[in-house]
């Protein structure tokens, strides 16, 4: 493991901003190593010790390492740590440049909402969140459940949603897994979108009228603890070289498949 290149004295001589700026590439470098190598207990233990020592120098909150040595869980935790330092600097994922607003013939009355909902687990791109609000409204979804995800109160989410956020309810939670468990008790089927063993192709799945679709973080997908609450998993088959697509695009594909499937079953 590459050690952090600063002594305590040198690190504390940096400004608040530069402390965070130097931590981010160090964490990112270790993240990249974990994506290409097997995880070694001694390596991550040494990393955790050194990272916590650095955080203690600056009086920052300690890093809580995962109890498991599973690679996916470590990547999740490191990604969250990098995101923390970005937030301390006031940085966020850059939104795409948006075209001028297109005038559309919006209806004064909407169709009846489905009793279907979208749950977002740790999304960080304001562009993606706003786009998903727009998609959910167009597909007739009743609400979006936000777990550690920015909501429609953010102006950049509103910008991408182009007014649709006004018609889609949102529910914010600091514990998405618990919230989904409570929804399950009320009869909702919790469906995660993940390319894992045993997942069903989204267009072959039997969608139920009371469904909650879970989409995960742009980088590492649905978090491990949230996956445990899912009843089933679906995936979108890929026919090119990449094995995934943008999360907002995935939301659009899934939402309209559900709307179509439920409409067909209603009229059959």
């Amino acid at each position: 493991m590459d050690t952090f290149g600063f002594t305590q004295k040198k690190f504390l001589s940096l400004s608040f901003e530069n402390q965070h700026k130097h931590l981010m590439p160090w964490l990112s470098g270790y993240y990249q190593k974990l994506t290409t190598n097997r995880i070694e207990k001694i390596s991550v233990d040494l990393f955790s010790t050194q990272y916590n020592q650095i955080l203690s120098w600056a009086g920052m909150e300690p890093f809580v390492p995962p109890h498991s040595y599973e690679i996916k869980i470590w990547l999740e935790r490191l990604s969250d740590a990098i995101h923390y330092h970005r937030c301390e600097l006031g940085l966020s994922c850059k939104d795409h440049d948006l075209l001028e607003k297109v005038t559309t013939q919006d209806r004064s009355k909407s169709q009846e909402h489905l009793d279907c909902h979208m749950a977002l687990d740790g999304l960080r791109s304001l562009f993606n969140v706003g786009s998903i609000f727009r998609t959910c409204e167009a597909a007739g979804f009743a609400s979006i459940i936000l777990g550690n995800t920015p909501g429609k109160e953010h102006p950049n989410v509103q910008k991408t949603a182009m007014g649709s956020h006004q018609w889609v309810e949102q529910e914010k939670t600091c514990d998405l897994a618990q919230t989904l468990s409570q929804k399950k008790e009320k009869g909702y089927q919790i469906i995660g979108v993940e390319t894992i063993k045993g997942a069903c192709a989204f267009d072959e799945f039997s969608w139920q009228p009371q469904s909650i679709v879970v989409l995960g973080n742009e980088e590492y997908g649905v978090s491990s603890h949230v996956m445990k609450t899912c009843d089933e998993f679906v995936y979108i088959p890929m026919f090119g070289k990449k094995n995934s697509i943008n999360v907002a695009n995935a939301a659009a594909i899934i939402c309209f498949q559900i709307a179509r499937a439920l409409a067909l079953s209603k009229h059959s």
Side-chain angles (χ1 to χ4, degrees):
M1 182 194 76
D2 294 335
T3 57
F4 189 62
F6 286 82
T7 63
Q8 180 178 2
K9 182 177 179 180
K10 185 176 179 181
F11 184 71
L12 293 179
S13 70
L14 300 174
S15 66
F16 170 84
E17 290 79 8
N18 281 330
Q19 288 176 357
H20 289 287
K21 284 180 180 178
H22 281 88
L23 279 168
M24 285 190 294
W26 179 63
L27 293 173
S28 297
Y30 191 60
Y31 178 98
Q32 290 302 321
K33 284 191 174 183
L34 289 184
T35 63
T36 57
N37 295 281
R38 288 179 57 189
I39 196 165
E40 297 181 4
K41 180 179 182 298
I42 188 170
S43 173
V44 293
D45 287 346
L46 285 171
F47 163 80
S48 300
T49 299
Q50 186 176 20
Y51 185 33
N52 270 322
Q53 183 181 50
I54 297 164
L55 294 174
S56 69
W57 291 345
M60 300 179 193
E61 289 293 320
F63 171 74
V64 181
H67 296 300
S68 167
Y69 290 98
E70 183 182 341
I71 187 72
K72 182 177 186 291
I73 297 175
W74 267 92
L75 291 176
E76 291 174 6
R77 196 63 59 86
L78 277 174
S79 178
D80 288 340
I82 295 167
H83 183 60
Y84 160 72
H85 293 293
R86 288 184 60 83
C87 288
E88 289 297 299
L89 291 173
L91 302 175
S92 62
C93 297
K94 292 183 179 179
D95 290 4
H96 295 272
D97 293 329
L98 301 176
L99 300 174
E100 292 184 7
K101 184 176 180 180
V102 178
T103 301
T104 58
Q105 299 299 320
D106 292 336
R107 296 186 295 270
S108 59
K109 291 185 179 181
S110 62
Q111 297 178 1
E112 183 179 351
H113 274 143
L114 304 171
D115 194 4
C116 293
H117 310 261
M118 180 69 69
L120 304 182
D121 179 21
L123 267 68
R124 293 172 181 158
S125 166
L126 303 173
F127 170 83
N128 284 334
V129 176
S131 181
I132 291 171
F133 264 97
R134 189 174 181 186
T135 292
C136 285
E137 194 285 321
F141 272 46
S143 76
I144 296 178
I145 305 167
L146 303 165
N148 191 26
T149 297
K152 60 183 180 180
E153 66 280 355
H154 199 292
N156 285 343
V157 171
Q158 296 175 15
K159 184 177 181 181
T160 317
M162 296 184 71
S164 61
H165 62 282
Q166 302 174 65
W167 305 310
V168 180
E169 296 295 326
Q170 74 173 21
E171 178 181 351
K172 304 200 81 171
T173 176
C174 59
D175 190 339
L176 181 58
Q178 181 182 39
T179 298
L180 292 177
S181 295
Q182 292 169 349
K183 302 288 186 185
K184 190 184 298 190
E185 292 175 0
K186 295 179 180 179
Y188 287 94
Q189 186 180 39
I190 314 298
I191 309 300
V193 182
E194 276 289 347
T195 53
I196 63 173
K197 185 177 180 180
C200 177
F202 78 101
D203 55 345
E204 297 176 1
F205 187 75
S206 179
W207 294 99
Q208 303 301 311
Q210 284 188 303
S211 296
I212 298 176
V213 180
V214 185
L215 287 172
N217 173 272
E218 294 93 340
E219 192 172 0
Y220 54 73
V222 179
S223 57
S224 304
H225 64 291
V226 172
M227 285 182 72
K228 293 177 182 177
T229 69
C230 295
D231 298 304
E232 303 283 351
F233 292 92
V234 299
Y235 70 98
I236 300 172
M238 299 289 124
F239 302 98
K241 294 181 180 179
K242 293 291 289 182
N243 69 348
S244 65
I245 57 175
N246 173 271
V247 66
N249 292 338
I253 292 170
I254 297 292
C255 282
F256 281 97
Q257 172 64 24
I258 295 173
R260 176 178 177 274
L262 294 181
L264 289 174
S265 63
K266 185 176 180 180
H267 295 99
S268 61

